[in-house]
mmCIF file of all heavy atoms in Angstrom:
data_model
loop_
_atom_site.group_PDB
_atom_site.id
_atom_site.type_symbol
_atom_site.label_atom_id
_atom_site.label_comp_id
_atom_site.label_asym_id
_atom_site.label_seq_id
_atom_site.Cartn_x
_atom_site.Cartn_y
_atom_site.Cartn_z
ATOM 1 N N ASN A 8 -4.525 0.513 15.021
ATOM 2 C CA ASN A 8 -5.948 0.699 15.306
ATOM 3 C C ASN A 8 -6.403 -0.275 16.390
ATOM 4 O O ASN A 8 -5.753 -1.283 16.650
ATOM 5 C CB ASN A 8 -6.770 0.481 14.037
ATOM 6 C CG ASN A 8 -6.440 1.469 12.942
ATOM 7 O OD1 ASN A 8 -6.065 2.610 13.205
ATOM 8 N ND2 ASN A 8 -6.561 1.030 11.704
ATOM 9 N N THR A 9 -7.535 0.044 16.983
ATOM 10 C CA THR A 9 -8.136 -0.810 18.014
ATOM 11 C C THR A 9 -7.081 -1.228 19.039
ATOM 12 O O THR A 9 -6.880 -2.416 19.319
ATOM 13 C CB THR A 9 -8.783 -2.057 17.378
ATOM 14 O OG1 THR A 9 -9.480 -1.695 16.190
ATOM 15 C CG2 THR A 9 -9.795 -2.674 18.346
ATOM 16 N N LEU A 10 -6.412 -0.244 19.579
ATOM 17 C CA LEU A 10 -5.330 -0.534 20.522
ATOM 18 C C LEU A 10 -5.860 -1.194 21.790
ATOM 19 O O LEU A 10 -6.977 -0.909 22.250
ATOM 20 C CB LEU A 10 -4.570 0.746 20.858
ATOM 21 C CG LEU A 10 -3.594 1.199 19.765
ATOM 22 C CD1 LEU A 10 -3.251 2.671 19.921
ATOM 23 C CD2 LEU A 10 -2.342 0.342 19.783
ATOM 24 N N LYS A 11 -5.020 -2.058 22.338
ATOM 25 C CA LYS A 11 -5.346 -2.799 23.552
ATOM 26 C C LYS A 11 -4.301 -2.500 24.625
ATOM 27 O O LYS A 11 -3.166 -2.141 24.303
ATOM 28 C CB LYS A 11 -5.347 -4.302 23.264
ATOM 29 C CG LYS A 11 -6.274 -4.737 22.156
ATOM 30 C CD LYS A 11 -6.119 -6.220 21.870
ATOM 31 C CE LYS A 11 -7.043 -6.673 20.749
ATOM 32 N NZ LYS A 11 -6.902 -8.125 20.478
ATOM 33 N N PRO A 12 -4.650 -2.661 25.898
ATOM 34 C CA PRO A 12 -3.650 -2.421 26.955
ATOM 35 C C PRO A 12 -2.387 -3.249 26.767
ATOM 36 O O PRO A 12 -1.288 -2.776 27.090
ATOM 37 C CB PRO A 12 -4.414 -2.815 28.228
ATOM 38 C CG PRO A 12 -5.845 -2.528 27.908
ATOM 39 C CD PRO A 12 -5.994 -2.887 26.457
ATOM 40 N N GLU A 13 -2.510 -4.435 26.214
ATOM 41 C CA GLU A 13 -1.332 -5.283 25.997
ATOM 42 C C GLU A 13 -0.431 -4.773 24.873
ATOM 43 O O GLU A 13 0.660 -5.311 24.675
ATOM 44 C CB GLU A 13 -1.739 -6.732 25.722
ATOM 45 C CG GLU A 13 -2.792 -6.901 24.655
ATOM 46 C CD GLU A 13 -4.198 -7.024 25.235
ATOM 47 O OE1 GLU A 13 -4.549 -6.255 26.165
ATOM 48 O OE2 GLU A 13 -4.939 -7.900 24.747
ATOM 49 N N ASP A 14 -0.859 -3.746 24.156
ATOM 50 C CA ASP A 14 0.007 -3.113 23.159
ATOM 51 C C ASP A 14 0.942 -2.096 23.801
ATOM 52 O O ASP A 14 1.822 -1.545 23.123
ATOM 53 C CB ASP A 14 -0.825 -2.413 22.090
ATOM 54 C CG ASP A 14 -1.643 -3.375 21.259
ATOM 55 O OD1 ASP A 14 -1.123 -4.448 20.896
ATOM 56 O OD2 ASP A 14 -2.819 -3.058 20.970
ATOM 57 N N THR A 15 0.768 -1.826 25.077
ATOM 58 C CA THR A 15 1.624 -0.873 25.777
ATOM 59 C C THR A 15 3.072 -1.337 25.748
ATOM 60 O O THR A 15 3.385 -2.456 26.142
ATOM 61 C CB THR A 15 1.155 -0.711 27.229
ATOM 62 O OG1 THR A 15 -0.151 -0.125 27.240
ATOM 63 C CG2 THR A 15 2.113 0.167 28.019
ATOM 64 N N ALA A 16 3.945 -0.472 25.246
ATOM 65 C CA ALA A 16 5.362 -0.819 25.113
ATOM 66 C C ALA A 16 6.110 0.386 24.552
ATOM 67 O O ALA A 16 5.506 1.362 24.119
ATOM 68 C CB ALA A 16 5.541 -2.007 24.163
ATOM 69 N N ILE A 17 7.432 0.266 24.560
ATOM 70 C CA ILE A 17 8.250 1.185 23.773
ATOM 71 C C ILE A 17 8.376 0.567 22.394
ATOM 72 O O ILE A 17 8.746 -0.609 22.260
ATOM 73 C CB ILE A 17 9.634 1.390 24.409
ATOM 74 C CG1 ILE A 17 9.489 2.004 25.793
ATOM 75 C CG2 ILE A 17 10.497 2.291 23.517
ATOM 76 C CD1 ILE A 17 10.804 2.115 26.550
ATOM 77 N N TYR A 18 8.082 1.349 21.365
ATOM 78 C CA TYR A 18 8.131 0.871 19.991
ATOM 79 C C TYR A 18 9.398 1.398 19.324
ATOM 80 O O TYR A 18 9.676 2.606 19.350
ATOM 81 C CB TYR A 18 6.897 1.326 19.227
ATOM 82 C CG TYR A 18 5.682 0.498 19.576
ATOM 83 C CD1 TYR A 18 5.066 0.627 20.817
ATOM 84 C CD2 TYR A 18 5.166 -0.420 18.675
ATOM 85 C CE1 TYR A 18 3.973 -0.153 21.146
ATOM 86 C CE2 TYR A 18 4.058 -1.192 18.992
ATOM 87 C CZ TYR A 18 3.473 -1.054 20.235
ATOM 88 O OH TYR A 18 2.385 -1.824 20.558
ATOM 89 N N TYR A 19 10.129 0.472 18.702
ATOM 90 C CA TYR A 19 11.394 0.781 18.061
ATOM 91 C C TYR A 19 11.312 0.552 16.559
ATOM 92 O O TYR A 19 10.777 -0.468 16.104
ATOM 93 C CB TYR A 19 12.507 -0.093 18.617
ATOM 94 C CG TYR A 19 12.795 0.107 20.087
ATOM 95 C CD1 TYR A 19 12.152 -0.656 21.051
ATOM 96 C CD2 TYR A 19 13.725 1.059 20.503
ATOM 97 C CE1 TYR A 19 12.413 -0.473 22.396
ATOM 98 C CE2 TYR A 19 14.001 1.239 21.848
ATOM 99 C CZ TYR A 19 13.336 0.472 22.796
ATOM 100 O OH TYR A 19 13.611 0.652 24.126
ATOM 101 N N CYS A 20 11.900 1.466 15.844
ATOM 102 C CA CYS A 20 12.052 1.328 14.406
ATOM 103 C C CYS A 20 13.432 0.731 14.129
ATOM 104 O O CYS A 20 14.399 1.037 14.841
ATOM 105 C CB CYS A 20 11.924 2.715 13.777
ATOM 106 S SG CYS A 20 12.314 2.834 12.051
ATOM 107 N N ALA A 21 13.539 -0.100 13.100
ATOM 108 C CA ALA A 21 14.816 -0.734 12.775
ATOM 109 C C ALA A 21 14.998 -0.805 11.270
ATOM 110 O O ALA A 21 14.014 -0.886 10.517
ATOM 111 C CB ALA A 21 14.876 -2.131 13.381
ATOM 112 N N GLY A 22 16.260 -0.798 10.843
ATOM 113 C CA GLY A 22 16.582 -0.874 9.428
ATOM 114 C C GLY A 22 17.596 -1.967 9.136
ATOM 115 O O GLY A 22 18.517 -2.198 9.920
ATOM 116 N N ASP A 23 17.420 -2.641 7.997
ATOM 117 C CA ASP A 23 18.278 -3.752 7.575
ATOM 118 C C ASP A 23 18.822 -3.482 6.188
ATOM 119 O O ASP A 23 18.061 -3.137 5.282
ATOM 120 C CB ASP A 23 17.456 -5.036 7.600
ATOM 121 C CG ASP A 23 18.069 -6.131 6.760
ATOM 122 O OD1 ASP A 23 19.246 -6.466 6.987
ATOM 123 O OD2 ASP A 23 17.379 -6.627 5.843
ATOM 124 N N ARG A 24 20.123 -3.674 6.000
ATOM 125 C CA ARG A 24 20.775 -3.337 4.741
ATOM 126 C C ARG A 24 20.687 -4.424 3.672
ATOM 127 O O ARG A 24 21.058 -4.188 2.524
ATOM 128 C CB ARG A 24 22.266 -3.071 4.986
ATOM 129 C CG ARG A 24 22.573 -1.872 5.830
ATOM 130 C CD ARG A 24 24.046 -1.801 6.132
ATOM 131 N NE ARG A 24 24.477 -2.974 6.903
ATOM 132 C CZ ARG A 24 25.648 -3.065 7.488
ATOM 133 N NH1 ARG A 24 26.511 -2.061 7.395
ATOM 134 N NH2 ARG A 24 25.987 -4.142 8.175
ATOM 135 N N SER A 25 20.204 -5.594 4.035
ATOM 136 C CA SER A 25 20.317 -6.711 3.099
ATOM 137 C C SER A 25 19.523 -6.467 1.818
ATOM 138 O O SER A 25 18.537 -5.720 1.821
ATOM 139 C CB SER A 25 19.856 -8.013 3.755
ATOM 140 O OG SER A 25 18.455 -8.007 3.931
ATOM 141 N N ARG A 26 19.951 -7.106 0.739
ATOM 142 C CA ARG A 26 19.315 -6.976 -0.567
ATOM 143 C C ARG A 26 18.742 -8.307 -1.040
ATOM 144 O O ARG A 26 18.570 -8.519 -2.241
ATOM 145 C CB ARG A 26 20.320 -6.462 -1.579
ATOM 146 C CG ARG A 26 20.526 -4.973 -1.511
ATOM 147 C CD ARG A 26 19.256 -4.254 -1.924
ATOM 148 N NE ARG A 26 19.360 -2.819 -1.798
ATOM 149 C CZ ARG A 26 19.046 -2.167 -0.701
ATOM 150 N NH1 ARG A 26 18.600 -2.806 0.357
ATOM 151 N NH2 ARG A 26 19.154 -0.859 -0.662
ATOM 152 N N VAL A 27 18.416 -9.163 -0.094
ATOM 153 C CA VAL A 27 17.756 -10.405 -0.453
ATOM 154 C C VAL A 27 16.412 -10.059 -1.086
ATOM 155 O O VAL A 27 15.627 -9.327 -0.500
ATOM 156 C CB VAL A 27 17.530 -11.302 0.780
ATOM 157 C CG1 VAL A 27 16.761 -12.558 0.394
ATOM 158 C CG2 VAL A 27 18.859 -11.646 1.430
ATOM 159 N N PRO A 28 16.130 -10.561 -2.294
ATOM 160 C CA PRO A 28 14.870 -10.205 -2.968
ATOM 161 C C PRO A 28 13.644 -10.674 -2.204
ATOM 162 O O PRO A 28 13.648 -11.734 -1.585
ATOM 163 C CB PRO A 28 14.974 -10.929 -4.311
ATOM 164 C CG PRO A 28 16.419 -11.197 -4.500
ATOM 165 C CD PRO A 28 16.983 -11.400 -3.114
ATOM 166 N N ASN A 29 12.602 -9.849 -2.236
ATOM 167 C CA ASN A 29 11.316 -10.234 -1.674
ATOM 168 C C ASN A 29 11.453 -10.701 -0.229
ATOM 169 O O ASN A 29 10.951 -11.767 0.147
ATOM 170 C CB ASN A 29 10.681 -11.341 -2.527
ATOM 171 C CG ASN A 29 9.205 -11.461 -2.279
ATOM 172 O OD1 ASN A 29 8.514 -10.471 -2.042
ATOM 173 N ND2 ASN A 29 8.697 -12.683 -2.320
ATOM 174 N N TYR A 30 12.092 -9.887 0.590
ATOM 175 C CA TYR A 30 12.405 -10.305 1.959
ATOM 176 C C TYR A 30 12.214 -9.145 2.910
ATOM 177 O O TYR A 30 12.586 -8.010 2.605
ATOM 178 C CB TYR A 30 13.853 -10.799 2.017
ATOM 179 C CG TYR A 30 14.256 -11.386 3.344
ATOM 180 C CD1 TYR A 30 13.650 -12.538 3.824
ATOM 181 C CD2 TYR A 30 15.252 -10.804 4.121
ATOM 182 C CE1 TYR A 30 14.019 -13.082 5.037
ATOM 183 C CE2 TYR A 30 15.627 -11.343 5.336
ATOM 184 C CZ TYR A 30 15.011 -12.487 5.779
ATOM 185 O OH TYR A 30 15.393 -13.030 6.978
ATOM 186 N N ALA A 31 11.619 -9.426 4.070
ATOM 187 C CA ALA A 31 11.467 -8.435 5.127
ATOM 188 C C ALA A 31 11.763 -9.145 6.448
ATOM 189 O O ALA A 31 10.988 -9.998 6.884
ATOM 190 C CB ALA A 31 10.057 -7.852 5.129
ATOM 191 N N PRO A 32 12.885 -8.827 7.087
ATOM 192 C CA PRO A 32 13.324 -9.569 8.273
ATOM 193 C C PRO A 32 12.361 -9.460 9.449
ATOM 194 O O PRO A 32 11.727 -8.424 9.659
ATOM 195 C CB PRO A 32 14.661 -8.923 8.627
ATOM 196 C CG PRO A 32 15.082 -8.195 7.409
ATOM 197 C CD PRO A 32 13.833 -7.789 6.710
ATOM 198 N N MET A 33 12.284 -10.524 10.235
ATOM 199 C CA MET A 33 11.431 -10.537 11.417
ATOM 200 C C MET A 33 12.197 -10.809 12.701
ATOM 201 O O MET A 33 11.597 -10.874 13.776
ATOM 202 C CB MET A 33 10.339 -11.602 11.234
ATOM 203 C CG MET A 33 9.352 -11.265 10.134
ATOM 204 S SD MET A 33 8.011 -12.462 10.003
ATOM 205 C CE MET A 33 8.835 -13.776 9.130
ATOM 206 N N ARG A 34 13.531 -10.919 12.607
ATOM 207 C CA ARG A 34 14.327 -11.240 13.789
ATOM 208 C C ARG A 34 15.241 -10.095 14.152
ATOM 209 O O ARG A 34 15.824 -9.447 13.275
ATOM 210 C CB ARG A 34 15.129 -12.514 13.532
ATOM 211 C CG ARG A 34 14.229 -13.743 13.468
ATOM 212 C CD ARG A 34 14.912 -14.931 12.872
ATOM 213 N NE ARG A 34 15.040 -14.790 11.428
ATOM 214 C CZ ARG A 34 15.280 -15.791 10.607
ATOM 215 N NH1 ARG A 34 15.422 -17.012 11.095
ATOM 216 N NH2 ARG A 34 15.392 -15.581 9.318
ATOM 217 N N LEU A 35 15.416 -9.837 15.427
ATOM 218 C CA LEU A 35 16.197 -8.695 15.896
ATOM 219 C C LEU A 35 17.594 -8.678 15.304
ATOM 220 O O LEU A 35 18.070 -7.625 14.858
ATOM 221 C CB LEU A 35 16.314 -8.726 17.437
ATOM 222 C CG LEU A 35 15.251 -8.027 18.254
ATOM 223 C CD1 LEU A 35 13.974 -8.836 18.253
ATOM 224 C CD2 LEU A 35 15.749 -7.822 19.678
ATOM 225 N N TYR A 36 18.256 -9.824 15.271
ATOM 226 C CA TYR A 36 19.668 -9.843 14.898
ATOM 227 C C TYR A 36 19.882 -9.538 13.417
ATOM 228 O O TYR A 36 21.006 -9.303 12.977
ATOM 229 C CB TYR A 36 20.299 -11.184 15.267
ATOM 230 C CG TYR A 36 19.788 -12.376 14.490
ATOM 231 C CD1 TYR A 36 20.299 -12.672 13.226
ATOM 232 C CD2 TYR A 36 18.822 -13.229 15.019
ATOM 233 C CE1 TYR A 36 19.841 -13.759 12.514
ATOM 234 C CE2 TYR A 36 18.363 -14.319 14.320
ATOM 235 C CZ TYR A 36 18.874 -14.589 13.060
ATOM 236 O OH TYR A 36 18.421 -15.662 12.358
ATOM 237 N N GLU A 37 18.804 -9.531 12.645
ATOM 238 C CA GLU A 37 18.938 -9.235 11.222
ATOM 239 C C GLU A 37 18.998 -7.739 10.930
ATOM 240 O O GLU A 37 19.288 -7.338 9.817
ATOM 241 C CB GLU A 37 17.763 -9.845 10.460
ATOM 242 C CG GLU A 37 17.741 -11.370 10.505
ATOM 243 C CD GLU A 37 16.620 -11.944 9.679
ATOM 244 O OE1 GLU A 37 15.467 -12.003 10.204
ATOM 245 O OE2 GLU A 37 16.852 -12.338 8.537
ATOM 246 N N TYR A 38 18.721 -6.929 11.942
ATOM 247 C CA TYR A 38 18.663 -5.487 11.727
ATOM 248 C C TYR A 38 19.974 -4.813 12.132
ATOM 249 O O TYR A 38 20.593 -5.157 13.127
ATOM 250 C CB TYR A 38 17.480 -4.890 12.495
ATOM 251 C CG TYR A 38 16.182 -5.156 11.786
ATOM 252 C CD1 TYR A 38 15.466 -6.330 12.017
ATOM 253 C CD2 TYR A 38 15.680 -4.257 10.846
ATOM 254 C CE1 TYR A 38 14.290 -6.596 11.329
ATOM 255 C CE2 TYR A 38 14.502 -4.518 10.166
ATOM 256 C CZ TYR A 38 13.818 -5.693 10.413
ATOM 257 O OH TYR A 38 12.657 -5.944 9.726
ATOM 258 N N ASP A 39 20.363 -3.832 11.323
ATOM 259 C CA ASP A 39 21.637 -3.152 11.506
ATOM 260 C C ASP A 39 21.508 -1.818 12.229
ATOM 261 O O ASP A 39 22.481 -1.339 12.822
ATOM 262 C CB ASP A 39 22.274 -2.899 10.139
ATOM 263 C CG ASP A 39 22.418 -4.176 9.332
ATOM 264 O OD1 ASP A 39 23.201 -5.047 9.761
ATOM 265 O OD2 ASP A 39 21.743 -4.307 8.296
ATOM 266 N N TYR A 40 20.350 -1.199 12.142
ATOM 267 C CA TYR A 40 20.169 0.144 12.692
ATOM 268 C C TYR A 40 18.900 0.180 13.539
ATOM 269 O O TYR A 40 17.889 -0.432 13.175
ATOM 270 C CB TYR A 40 20.043 1.180 11.566
ATOM 271 C CG TYR A 40 21.147 1.115 10.549
ATOM 272 C CD1 TYR A 40 20.942 0.503 9.315
ATOM 273 C CD2 TYR A 40 22.399 1.657 10.817
ATOM 274 C CE1 TYR A 40 21.951 0.432 8.381
ATOM 275 C CE2 TYR A 40 23.415 1.597 9.886
ATOM 276 C CZ TYR A 40 23.192 0.981 8.664
ATOM 277 O OH TYR A 40 24.192 0.908 7.741
ATOM 278 N N TRP A 41 18.967 0.969 14.615
ATOM 279 C CA TRP A 41 17.834 1.085 15.540
ATOM 280 C C TRP A 41 17.611 2.519 15.949
ATOM 281 O O TRP A 41 18.564 3.292 16.096
ATOM 282 C CB TRP A 41 18.097 0.244 16.796
ATOM 283 C CG TRP A 41 18.092 -1.220 16.540
ATOM 284 C CD1 TRP A 41 19.154 -1.980 16.123
ATOM 285 C CD2 TRP A 41 16.978 -2.100 16.631
ATOM 286 N NE1 TRP A 41 18.755 -3.286 15.960
ATOM 287 C CE2 TRP A 41 17.430 -3.392 16.276
ATOM 288 C CE3 TRP A 41 15.639 -1.942 16.995
ATOM 289 C CZ2 TRP A 41 16.585 -4.503 16.272
ATOM 290 C CZ3 TRP A 41 14.810 -3.042 16.987
ATOM 291 C CH2 TRP A 41 15.280 -4.304 16.628
ATOM 292 N N GLY A 42 16.327 2.862 16.130
ATOM 293 C CA GLY A 42 15.994 4.151 16.706
ATOM 294 C C GLY A 42 15.984 4.069 18.221
ATOM 295 O O GLY A 42 16.228 3.007 18.807
ATOM 296 N N GLN A 43 15.680 5.205 18.860
ATOM 297 C CA GLN A 43 15.684 5.279 20.318
ATOM 298 C C GLN A 43 14.359 4.846 20.926
ATOM 299 O O GLN A 43 14.280 4.614 22.136
ATOM 300 C CB GLN A 43 16.001 6.705 20.765
ATOM 301 C CG GLN A 43 17.432 7.124 20.418
ATOM 302 C CD GLN A 43 18.450 6.222 21.074
ATOM 303 O OE1 GLN A 43 18.446 6.027 22.275
ATOM 304 N NE2 GLN A 43 19.324 5.620 20.267
#
């Protein structure tokens, strides 16, 4: 919402297989799968 010109980019979805409890990765290298 309330998009700004600085939000202009290609947006990628990513998936991580880890099962660390209560965790959501924020670093690129932690993700195993990527969309186009």
Side-chain angles (χ1 to χ4, degrees):
N8 298 329
T9 318
L10 283 160
K11 304 175 180 181
E13 50 264 43
D14 295 319
T15 295
I17 298 174
Y18 283 72
Y19 297 91
C20 171
D23 161 55
R24 295 174 298 192
S25 71
R26 280 294 176 270
V27 176
N29 199 35
Y30 186 64
M33 293 184 281
R34 290 165 285 198
L35 270 75
Y36 67 83
E37 295 183 277
Y38 283 88
D39 305 294
Y40 308 102
W41 292 86
Q43 293 300 306

